[in-house]
C-alpha cells in the first residue's frame, strides 16, 4: 500500500506540474492563478498547497524536472561521447537546448532567471545555482572523458575548459530566452561556431 500511495502522490505531483506549465504558457506566468492550476490539474487548492506554497515553488520544480532530465540524457553522452571535442560538445549542448522548451517557455525561463537574481539568498536562487553547477560539472566531465580518450591534450585543465564551455552556452541561452524571435537552430549554430576555436586549441588542432 505504501508503494501505491507513493505512486499516487508522484502522479498527482506530475499532474500539477504539467497543468501549471501549460497554464503558464497559455496565460502567462503573472496572470496564472493557483486556483486555475488546481482546476486544470483536477485537484483541490488545498491539495495543491500540500505540494507547493506558491507559483515560484512550482516554477522551480519545473526547472528542476527539466534539468534532471537533461542531466540523465547527458550522462549517456558523457559515458560514450563522439570521438572529437567539437562533435562531443555539440551533442551534449544540443541535448540541453533541444529539451529546454519542453516544459518551460522563454517567458518562464526569464522569470526563473530574474527570481534567482532578485532573491540571491532565497531557496529558489540557491537551488537554481545548484542546478547550473551540476550542468557545468557535466560539461567538465565530458571534457575529462575526452581527455582520458586521448581527444584532449594531456596538459589541458579539462575541468576549467568545461566550465568555460558551460559559461558560454549558458550566456547564449540567456540571450536566446530574451529574444522571443530567435529560433533554437540559430542558437545552436552560434554556440557551435563560438566553441570551434577553443575546441581546436585543446584538441591540439584536432577539433
Amino acid at each position: 500500500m505504501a508503494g501505491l500511495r507513493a505512486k499516487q502522490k508522484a502522479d498527482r505531483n506530475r499532474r500539477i506540474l504539467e497543468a501549471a506549465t501549460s497554464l503558464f504558457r497559455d496565460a502567462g506566468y503573472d496572470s496564472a492563478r493557483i486556483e486555475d492550476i488546481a482546476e486544470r490539474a483536477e485537484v483541490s487548492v488545498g491539495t495543491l498547497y500540500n505540494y507547493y506554497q506558491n507559483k515560484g515553488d512550482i516554477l522551480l520544480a519545473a526547472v528542476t524536472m527539466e534539468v534532471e532530465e537533461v542531466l540523465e540524457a547527458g550522462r549517456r553522452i558523457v559515458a560514450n561521447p563522439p570521438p572529437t571535442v567539437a562533435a562531443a560538445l555539440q551533442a551534449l549542448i544540443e541535448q540541453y537546448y533541444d529539451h529546454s522548451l519542453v516544459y518551460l517557455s522563454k517567458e518562464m525561463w526569464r522569470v526563473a532567471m530574474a527570481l534567482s537574481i532578485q532573491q540571491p539568498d532565497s531557496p529558489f536562487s540557491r537551488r537554481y545555482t545548484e542546478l547550473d553547477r551540476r550542468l557545468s560539472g557535466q560539461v567538465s566531465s565530458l571534457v575529462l572523458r575526452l581527455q582520458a580518450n586521448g581527444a584532449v591534450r594531456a596538459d589541458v585543465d579539462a575541468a576549467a575548459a568545461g566550465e568555460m564551455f558551460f559559461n558560454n552556452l549558458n550566456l547564449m541561452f540567456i540571450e536566446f530566452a530574451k529574444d522571443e524571435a530567435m529560433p533554437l537552430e540559430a542558437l545552436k549554430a552560434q554556440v557551435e561556431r563560438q566553441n570551434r576555436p577553443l575546441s581546436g586549441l585543446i584538441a591540439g588542432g584536432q577539433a
Side-chain angles (χ1 to χ4, degrees):
M1 288 299 293
L4 177 61
R5 285 196 297 271
K7 183 179 184 303
Q8 289 173 337
K9 185 175 181 179
D11 289 345
R12 195 176 298 118
N13 180 57
R14 184 81 182 199
R15 285 210 319 273
I16 292 170
L17 286 178
E18 289 177 350
T21 53
S22 68
L23 185 61
F24 291 161
R25 287 179 184 275
D26 294 344
Y29 178 84
D30 289 338
S31 299
R33 302 185 310 152
I34 289 291
E35 293 81 3
D36 297 328
I37 295 170
E39 180 179 356
R40 189 171 290 204
E42 299 181 341
V43 300
S44 69
V45 173
T47 296
L48 190 150
Y49 278 121
N50 286 334
Y51 289 80
Y52 302 105
Q53 294 183 1
N54 51 52
K55 289 193 299 183
D57 286 350
I58 298 173
L59 180 60
L60 179 59
V63 171
T64 299
M65 181 168 64
E66 159 69 35
V67 173
E68 292 291 354
E69 289 188 11
V70 297
L71 283 168
E72 180 58 33
R75 289 186 191 102
R76 293 190 287 272
I77 296 173
V78 173
N80 187 29
T84 67
V85 178
L89 279 170
Q90 198 62 13
L92 185 63
I93 291 169
E94 288 194 1
Q95 177 66 51
Y96 291 172
Y97 286 165
D98 285 340
H99 202 289
S100 64
L101 300 180
V102 170
Y103 301 120
L104 288 83
S105 64
K106 288 189 178 186
E107 184 224 13
M108 292 156 66
W109 276 114
R110 292 194 297 269
V111 171
M113 293 170 189
L115 287 173
S116 71
I117 294 168
Q118 291 169 354
Q119 305 167 17
D121 296 324
S122 67
F124 187 108
S125 182
R126 289 195 294 271
R127 178 61 172 157
Y128 193 93
T129 299
E130 177 197 348
L131 292 169
D132 264 358
R133 190 177 299 116
R134 290 175 64 192
L135 288 166
S136 179
Q138 187 169 76
V139 179
S140 291
S141 293
L142 175 64
V143 182
L144 284 162
R145 175 56 61 93
L146 291 167
Q147 191 173 53
N149 292 349
V152 171
R153 296 199 329 259
D155 63 334
V156 168
D157 184 337
E163 290 164 7
M164 291 174 65
F165 285 123
F166 174 76
N167 289 341
N168 184 64
L169 76 88
N170 197 34
L171 176 62
M172 291 304 298
F173 183 75
I174 292 170
E175 294 303 312
F176 169 72
K178 286 163 55 179
D179 185 352
E180 283 290 345
M182 184 178 184
L184 197 57
E185 291 306 313
L187 169 65
K188 291 192 287 188
Q190 284 188 31
V191 172
E192 182 179 20
R193 178 179 61 81
Q194 292 165 354
N195 284 342
R196 201 173 300 133
L198 181 57
S199 296
L201 286 173
I202 69 173
Q206 299 298 315

